[in-house]
Amino acid sequence: MRDATRSTPELACPIAPVVDIVFSRWTTPILWALHEFGRQRFVELERRLPSITPKVLTQRLRQLERDGLLTGRTTRRSRPGGV
């Protein structure tokens, strides 16, 4: 009789979740840009990765934060003119 963990690839391979995270479409370029240039604002990352849409960049950053690979910080922007 087969063991349940051997019949299910997700359970048989303990590094499967890590592989899914690291090799998803935009993870590697995002992590590289952060490693190479350090902490950056969203718009700076957006400029360094011109072919990624803002929506996808936001989704990937949120996912990387949920996965514990990044920590994000939201800063309040003040409008010019002081209001």
Short mmCIF file of all heavy atoms in Angstrom, two decimals, residues 19-65:
data_model
loop_
_atom_site.label_atom_id
_atom_site.label_comp_id
_atom_site.label_asym_id
_atom_site.label_seq_id
_atom_site.Cartn_x
_atom_site.Cartn_y
_atom_site.Cartn_z
N VAL A 19 10.08 26.58 -3.71
CA VAL A 19 10.27 26.63 -5.17
C VAL A 19 9.14 27.43 -5.81
O VAL A 19 9.38 28.25 -6.70
CB VAL A 19 10.36 25.20 -5.76
CG1 VAL A 19 10.34 25.23 -7.28
CG2 VAL A 19 11.62 24.50 -5.25
N ASP A 20 7.91 27.23 -5.36
CA ASP A 20 6.78 27.98 -5.89
C ASP A 20 6.95 29.48 -5.70
O ASP A 20 6.66 30.28 -6.58
CB ASP A 20 5.46 27.54 -5.24
CG ASP A 20 5.03 26.16 -5.69
OD1 ASP A 20 5.53 25.68 -6.73
OD2 ASP A 20 4.18 25.57 -5.01
N ILE A 21 7.43 29.87 -4.53
CA ILE A 21 7.62 31.29 -4.23
C ILE A 21 8.76 31.87 -5.07
O ILE A 21 8.60 32.88 -5.75
CB ILE A 21 7.94 31.50 -2.73
CG1 ILE A 21 6.74 31.14 -1.88
CG2 ILE A 21 8.38 32.93 -2.45
CD1 ILE A 21 7.06 30.99 -0.41
N VAL A 22 9.91 31.25 -5.03
CA VAL A 22 11.10 31.81 -5.66
C VAL A 22 11.01 31.82 -7.18
O VAL A 22 11.48 32.75 -7.83
CB VAL A 22 12.36 31.06 -5.18
CG1 VAL A 22 13.59 31.51 -5.94
CG2 VAL A 22 12.56 31.27 -3.69
N PHE A 23 10.39 30.82 -7.75
CA PHE A 23 10.37 30.74 -9.20
C PHE A 23 9.09 31.26 -9.84
O PHE A 23 8.85 31.04 -11.01
CB PHE A 23 10.66 29.31 -9.66
CG PHE A 23 12.08 28.92 -9.37
CD1 PHE A 23 12.36 28.02 -8.35
CD2 PHE A 23 13.12 29.47 -10.08
CE1 PHE A 23 13.67 27.67 -8.07
CE2 PHE A 23 14.44 29.13 -9.81
CZ PHE A 23 14.71 28.23 -8.80
N SER A 24 8.28 31.98 -9.08
CA SER A 24 7.12 32.60 -9.71
C SER A 24 7.61 33.76 -10.58
O SER A 24 8.71 34.28 -10.40
CB SER A 24 6.10 33.05 -8.67
OG SER A 24 6.67 34.00 -7.84
N ARG A 25 6.80 34.17 -11.50
CA ARG A 25 7.18 35.07 -12.60
C ARG A 25 8.05 36.26 -12.21
O ARG A 25 9.07 36.51 -12.80
CB ARG A 25 5.90 35.54 -13.31
CG ARG A 25 6.10 36.61 -14.33
CD ARG A 25 6.53 36.02 -15.65
NE ARG A 25 6.44 37.01 -16.71
CZ ARG A 25 7.49 37.62 -17.23
NH1 ARG A 25 8.68 37.34 -16.82
NH2 ARG A 25 7.34 38.51 -18.18
N TRP A 26 7.68 37.05 -11.24
CA TRP A 26 8.40 38.29 -10.95
C TRP A 26 9.23 38.26 -9.68
O TRP A 26 9.91 39.24 -9.36
CB TRP A 26 7.40 39.44 -10.88
CG TRP A 26 6.91 39.81 -12.23
CD1 TRP A 26 5.71 39.49 -12.77
CD2 TRP A 26 7.62 40.51 -13.24
NE1 TRP A 26 5.63 39.96 -14.05
CE2 TRP A 26 6.79 40.60 -14.37
CE3 TRP A 26 8.89 41.07 -13.29
CZ2 TRP A 26 7.19 41.23 -15.53
CZ3 TRP A 26 9.28 41.71 -14.46
CH2 TRP A 26 8.44 41.78 -15.56
N THR A 27 9.20 37.18 -8.94
CA THR A 27 9.91 37.15 -7.65
C THR A 27 11.41 37.39 -7.81
O THR A 27 11.99 38.21 -7.10
CB THR A 27 9.66 35.82 -6.94
OG1 THR A 27 8.26 35.69 -6.72
CG2 THR A 27 10.39 35.75 -5.61
N THR A 28 12.04 36.68 -8.72
CA THR A 28 13.49 36.80 -8.87
C THR A 28 13.92 38.22 -9.24
O THR A 28 14.82 38.77 -8.59
CB THR A 28 14.01 35.77 -9.89
OG1 THR A 28 13.59 34.48 -9.48
CG2 THR A 28 15.52 35.79 -9.97
N PRO A 29 13.31 38.86 -10.26
CA PRO A 29 13.73 40.24 -10.55
C PRO A 29 13.48 41.22 -9.41
O PRO A 29 14.29 42.11 -9.16
CB PRO A 29 12.88 40.63 -11.77
CG PRO A 29 12.44 39.35 -12.37
CD PRO A 29 12.38 38.35 -11.25
N ILE A 30 12.38 41.04 -8.68
CA ILE A 30 12.10 41.92 -7.55
C ILE A 30 13.14 41.74 -6.46
O ILE A 30 13.71 42.72 -5.95
CB ILE A 30 10.67 41.68 -7.00
CG1 ILE A 30 9.62 42.16 -8.00
CG2 ILE A 30 10.48 42.38 -5.64
CD1 ILE A 30 8.20 41.73 -7.67
N LEU A 31 13.41 40.50 -6.09
CA LEU A 31 14.41 40.24 -5.05
C LEU A 31 15.79 40.71 -5.48
O LEU A 31 16.57 41.24 -4.67
CB LEU A 31 14.42 38.76 -4.68
CG LEU A 31 13.17 38.26 -3.96
CD1 LEU A 31 13.27 36.75 -3.72
CD2 LEU A 31 12.94 39.00 -2.65
N TRP A 32 16.13 40.53 -6.76
CA TRP A 32 17.42 40.99 -7.25
C TRP A 32 17.53 42.51 -7.12
O TRP A 32 18.55 43.03 -6.63
CB TRP A 32 17.64 40.58 -8.71
CG TRP A 32 18.91 41.15 -9.26
CD1 TRP A 32 20.16 40.64 -9.14
CD2 TRP A 32 19.06 42.39 -9.96
NE1 TRP A 32 21.07 41.46 -9.75
CE2 TRP A 32 20.42 42.56 -10.25
CE3 TRP A 32 18.16 43.37 -10.38
CZ2 TRP A 32 20.91 43.66 -10.94
CZ3 TRP A 32 18.66 44.47 -11.06
CH2 TRP A 32 20.02 44.60 -11.34
N ALA A 33 16.49 43.24 -7.55
CA ALA A 33 16.51 44.71 -7.48
C ALA A 33 16.64 45.18 -6.04
O ALA A 33 17.40 46.11 -5.75
CB ALA A 33 15.26 45.29 -8.12
N LEU A 34 15.96 44.52 -5.13
CA LEU A 34 16.06 44.91 -3.72
C LEU A 34 17.43 44.59 -3.15
O LEU A 34 17.99 45.37 -2.36
CB LEU A 34 14.96 44.22 -2.91
CG LEU A 34 13.55 44.72 -3.21
CD1 LEU A 34 12.52 43.82 -2.55
CD2 LEU A 34 13.38 46.16 -2.76
N HIS A 35 18.00 43.47 -3.55
CA HIS A 35 19.34 43.12 -3.08
C HIS A 35 20.39 44.07 -3.65
O HIS A 35 21.26 44.55 -2.94
CB HIS A 35 19.67 41.68 -3.49
CG HIS A 35 21.09 41.31 -3.21
ND1 HIS A 35 21.55 41.08 -1.93
CD2 HIS A 35 22.14 41.16 -4.04
CE1 HIS A 35 22.85 40.80 -2.00
NE2 HIS A 35 23.22 40.84 -3.26
N GLU A 36 20.27 44.35 -4.93
CA GLU A 36 21.26 45.18 -5.62
C GLU A 36 21.23 46.64 -5.19
O GLU A 36 22.26 47.27 -5.03
CB GLU A 36 21.02 45.08 -7.13
CG GLU A 36 22.14 45.61 -7.98
CD GLU A 36 23.41 44.78 -7.93
OE1 GLU A 36 23.37 43.60 -7.54
OE2 GLU A 36 24.47 45.34 -8.29
N PHE A 37 20.03 47.20 -4.98
CA PHE A 37 19.88 48.62 -4.73
C PHE A 37 19.38 48.95 -3.32
O PHE A 37 19.18 50.11 -2.99
CB PHE A 37 18.95 49.25 -5.77
CG PHE A 37 19.46 49.07 -7.17
CD1 PHE A 37 18.91 48.10 -8.00
CD2 PHE A 37 20.50 49.84 -7.65
CE1 PHE A 37 19.38 47.92 -9.29
CE2 PHE A 37 20.98 49.67 -8.95
CZ PHE A 37 20.42 48.70 -9.77
N GLY A 38 19.12 47.92 -2.50
CA GLY A 38 18.67 48.17 -1.14
C GLY A 38 17.20 48.59 -1.06
O GLY A 38 16.44 48.43 -2.00
N ARG A 39 16.84 49.13 0.09
CA ARG A 39 15.46 49.56 0.33
C ARG A 39 15.06 50.60 -0.70
O ARG A 39 15.82 51.52 -0.98
CB ARG A 39 15.37 50.15 1.73
CG ARG A 39 13.97 50.52 2.13
CD ARG A 39 13.90 51.18 3.46
NE ARG A 39 14.52 50.34 4.48
CZ ARG A 39 14.70 50.72 5.73
NH1 ARG A 39 14.34 51.92 6.11
NH2 ARG A 39 15.25 49.92 6.59
N GLN A 40 13.86 50.43 -1.23
CA GLN A 40 13.39 51.34 -2.28
C GLN A 40 11.92 51.65 -2.09
O GLN A 40 11.18 50.85 -1.54
CB GLN A 40 13.57 50.69 -3.65
CG GLN A 40 14.98 50.35 -3.99
CD GLN A 40 15.06 49.51 -5.23
OE1 GLN A 40 14.66 49.96 -6.29
NE2 GLN A 40 15.56 48.30 -5.10
N ARG A 41 11.53 52.77 -2.62
CA ARG A 41 10.11 53.10 -2.68
C ARG A 41 9.49 52.33 -3.83
O ARG A 41 10.18 51.88 -4.74
CB ARG A 41 9.91 54.60 -2.90
CG ARG A 41 10.37 55.44 -1.73
CD ARG A 41 10.14 56.91 -2.04
NE ARG A 41 10.59 57.72 -0.94
CZ ARG A 41 9.82 58.12 0.06
NH1 ARG A 41 8.55 57.76 0.08
NH2 ARG A 41 10.30 58.84 1.03
N PHE A 42 8.18 52.23 -3.80
CA PHE A 42 7.46 51.50 -4.83
C PHE A 42 7.81 52.03 -6.22
O PHE A 42 8.10 51.28 -7.15
CB PHE A 42 5.95 51.60 -4.59
CG PHE A 42 5.13 50.86 -5.58
CD1 PHE A 42 4.86 49.51 -5.41
CD2 PHE A 42 4.63 51.49 -6.71
CE1 PHE A 42 4.09 48.81 -6.33
CE2 PHE A 42 3.87 50.81 -7.64
CZ PHE A 42 3.61 49.46 -7.45
N VAL A 43 7.79 53.33 -6.38
CA VAL A 43 8.04 53.94 -7.69
C VAL A 43 9.47 53.66 -8.17
O VAL A 43 9.70 53.52 -9.37
CB VAL A 43 7.70 55.46 -7.69
CG1 VAL A 43 8.71 56.25 -6.87
CG2 VAL A 43 7.59 55.99 -9.09
N GLU A 44 10.41 53.56 -7.26
CA GLU A 44 11.78 53.23 -7.65
C GLU A 44 11.86 51.80 -8.19
O GLU A 44 12.50 51.55 -9.21
CB GLU A 44 12.73 53.39 -6.45
CG GLU A 44 12.88 54.82 -6.00
CD GLU A 44 13.62 54.95 -4.69
OE1 GLU A 44 13.39 54.13 -3.77
OE2 GLU A 44 14.44 55.87 -4.58
N LEU A 45 11.20 50.88 -7.50
CA LEU A 45 11.15 49.50 -7.99
C LEU A 45 10.46 49.45 -9.35
O LEU A 45 10.89 48.74 -10.25
CB LEU A 45 10.37 48.63 -7.01
CG LEU A 45 11.14 47.75 -6.06
CD1 LEU A 45 10.19 46.99 -5.16
CD2 LEU A 45 12.08 46.83 -6.76
N GLU A 46 9.40 50.20 -9.48
CA GLU A 46 8.65 50.24 -10.73
C GLU A 46 9.55 50.71 -11.89
O GLU A 46 9.49 50.16 -12.99
CB GLU A 46 7.49 51.21 -10.55
CG GLU A 46 6.32 50.98 -11.41
CD GLU A 46 5.17 51.91 -11.03
OE1 GLU A 46 5.38 52.93 -10.34
OE2 GLU A 46 4.06 51.61 -11.47
N ARG A 47 10.40 51.70 -11.64
CA ARG A 47 11.32 52.20 -12.67
C ARG A 47 12.40 51.19 -13.01
O ARG A 47 12.85 51.11 -14.15
CB ARG A 47 11.96 53.50 -12.22
CG ARG A 47 11.01 54.66 -12.24
CD ARG A 47 11.69 55.95 -11.82
NE ARG A 47 10.71 56.98 -11.63
CZ ARG A 47 10.69 57.80 -10.58
NH1 ARG A 47 11.61 57.72 -9.65
NH2 ARG A 47 9.76 58.71 -10.48
N ARG A 48 12.84 50.44 -12.02
CA ARG A 48 13.89 49.43 -12.26
C ARG A 48 13.36 48.20 -13.00
O ARG A 48 14.13 47.46 -13.60
CB ARG A 48 14.52 49.01 -10.95
CG ARG A 48 15.29 50.13 -10.29
CD ARG A 48 16.12 49.62 -9.15
NE ARG A 48 16.53 50.66 -8.24
CZ ARG A 48 17.46 51.58 -8.49
NH1 ARG A 48 18.08 51.58 -9.64
NH2 ARG A 48 17.79 52.48 -7.60
N LEU A 49 12.05 47.97 -12.91
CA LEU A 49 11.42 46.83 -13.57
C LEU A 49 10.34 47.36 -14.52
O LEU A 49 9.15 47.21 -14.26
CB LEU A 49 10.81 45.89 -12.52
CG LEU A 49 11.74 45.40 -11.42
CD1 LEU A 49 10.96 44.76 -10.29
CD2 LEU A 49 12.75 44.44 -12.00
N PRO A 50 10.74 47.97 -15.61
CA PRO A 50 9.78 48.68 -16.46
C PRO A 50 8.71 47.81 -17.13
O PRO A 50 7.66 48.31 -17.49
CB PRO A 50 10.66 49.36 -17.52
CG PRO A 50 11.92 48.60 -17.53
CD PRO A 50 12.10 48.04 -16.14
N SER A 51 8.94 46.52 -17.25
CA SER A 51 7.95 45.70 -17.94
C SER A 51 6.89 45.12 -17.00
O SER A 51 5.96 44.45 -17.46
CB SER A 51 8.63 44.58 -18.72
OG SER A 51 9.47 43.84 -17.89
N ILE A 52 6.98 45.38 -15.70
CA ILE A 52 5.97 44.90 -14.76
C ILE A 52 4.91 45.99 -14.56
O ILE A 52 5.24 47.17 -14.50
CB ILE A 52 6.61 44.48 -13.41
CG1 ILE A 52 5.62 43.74 -12.54
CG2 ILE A 52 7.19 45.66 -12.68
CD1 ILE A 52 6.24 43.11 -11.29
N THR A 53 3.66 45.59 -14.49
CA THR A 53 2.60 46.57 -14.27
C THR A 53 2.52 46.90 -12.77
O THR A 53 2.90 46.08 -11.93
CB THR A 53 1.23 46.03 -14.74
OG1 THR A 53 0.88 44.91 -13.92
CG2 THR A 53 1.27 45.63 -16.21
N PRO A 54 2.03 48.07 -12.42
CA PRO A 54 1.89 48.42 -11.01
C PRO A 54 1.03 47.42 -10.24
O PRO A 54 1.33 47.09 -9.09
CB PRO A 54 1.23 49.80 -11.04
CG PRO A 54 1.58 50.36 -12.37
CD PRO A 54 1.67 49.18 -13.30
N LYS A 55 -0.03 46.92 -10.87
CA LYS A 55 -0.90 45.96 -10.21
C LYS A 55 -0.14 44.67 -9.87
O LYS A 55 -0.23 44.16 -8.74
CB LYS A 55 -2.09 45.62 -11.12
CG LYS A 55 -3.02 44.59 -10.54
CD LYS A 55 -4.13 44.25 -11.51
CE LYS A 55 -4.98 43.12 -10.96
NZ LYS A 55 -6.00 42.69 -11.89
N VAL A 56 0.62 44.16 -10.83
CA VAL A 56 1.37 42.92 -10.60
C VAL A 56 2.47 43.15 -9.57
O VAL A 56 2.70 42.30 -8.69
CB VAL A 56 1.94 42.36 -11.92
CG1 VAL A 56 2.88 41.19 -11.67
CG2 VAL A 56 0.80 41.95 -12.85
N LEU A 57 3.15 44.29 -9.63
CA LEU A 57 4.20 44.59 -8.65
C LEU A 57 3.60 44.63 -7.25
O LEU A 57 4.16 44.06 -6.31
CB LEU A 57 4.89 45.91 -8.99
CG LEU A 57 6.01 46.35 -8.05
CD1 LEU A 57 7.10 45.29 -7.93
CD2 LEU A 57 6.60 47.67 -8.51
N THR A 58 2.47 45.27 -7.11
CA THR A 58 1.79 45.33 -5.81
C THR A 58 1.44 43.93 -5.31
O THR A 58 1.69 43.58 -4.15
CB THR A 58 0.51 46.18 -5.91
OG1 THR A 58 0.87 47.51 -6.28
CG2 THR A 58 -0.24 46.21 -4.59
N GLN A 59 0.87 43.11 -6.20
CA GLN A 59 0.50 41.74 -5.82
C GLN A 59 1.72 40.93 -5.39
O GLN A 59 1.68 40.23 -4.38
CB GLN A 59 -0.19 41.04 -6.98
CG GLN A 59 -1.56 41.56 -7.29
CD GLN A 59 -2.12 40.98 -8.59
OE1 GLN A 59 -1.39 40.47 -9.44
NE2 GLN A 59 -3.43 41.08 -8.74
N ARG A 60 2.81 41.00 -6.15
CA ARG A 60 4.01 40.23 -5.83
C ARG A 60 4.62 40.71 -4.51
O ARG A 60 5.04 39.90 -3.69
CB ARG A 60 5.05 40.32 -6.94
CG ARG A 60 4.66 39.66 -8.23
CD ARG A 60 4.29 38.18 -8.11
NE ARG A 60 5.19 37.43 -7.28
CZ ARG A 60 4.82 36.44 -6.47
NH1 ARG A 60 3.58 36.06 -6.39
NH2 ARG A 60 5.70 35.81 -5.74
N LEU A 61 4.69 42.02 -4.30
CA LEU A 61 5.26 42.54 -3.05
C LEU A 61 4.42 42.10 -1.85
O LEU A 61 4.97 41.71 -0.82
CB LEU A 61 5.37 44.07 -3.11
CG LEU A 61 6.43 44.61 -4.06
CD1 LEU A 61 6.30 46.12 -4.17
CD2 LEU A 61 7.83 44.22 -3.62
N ARG A 62 3.12 42.15 -1.99
CA ARG A 62 2.24 41.70 -0.90
C ARG A 62 2.43 40.21 -0.62
O ARG A 62 2.47 39.78 0.53
CB ARG A 62 0.79 42.00 -1.21
CG ARG A 62 0.47 43.47 -1.08
CD ARG A 62 -0.98 43.75 -1.38
NE ARG A 62 -1.24 45.19 -1.25
CZ ARG A 62 -2.24 45.81 -1.83
NH1 ARG A 62 -3.09 45.14 -2.59
NH2 ARG A 62 -2.41 47.10 -1.68
N GLN A 63 2.56 39.42 -1.69
CA GLN A 63 2.76 37.98 -1.52
C GLN A 63 4.10 37.70 -0.85
O GLN A 63 4.20 36.87 0.05
CB GLN A 63 2.68 37.26 -2.87
CG GLN A 63 2.77 35.75 -2.75
CD GLN A 63 1.62 35.16 -1.96
OE1 GLN A 63 0.47 35.48 -2.23
NE2 GLN A 63 1.91 34.32 -0.99
N LEU A 64 5.15 38.39 -1.28
CA LEU A 64 6.47 38.21 -0.67
C LEU A 64 6.46 38.62 0.80
O LEU A 64 7.13 38.01 1.63
CB LEU A 64 7.53 38.99 -1.45
CG LEU A 64 7.85 38.44 -2.84
CD1 LEU A 64 8.67 39.44 -3.63
CD2 LEU A 64 8.56 37.11 -2.73
N GLU A 65 5.69 39.64 1.12
CA GLU A 65 5.55 40.06 2.52
C GLU A 65 4.80 39.00 3.32
O GLU A 65 5.21 38.64 4.43
CB GLU A 65 4.84 41.40 2.59
CG GLU A 65 4.90 42.04 3.95
CD GLU A 65 4.36 43.45 3.96
OE1 GLU A 65 3.79 43.92 2.95
OE2 GLU A 65 4.50 44.10 5.00
#
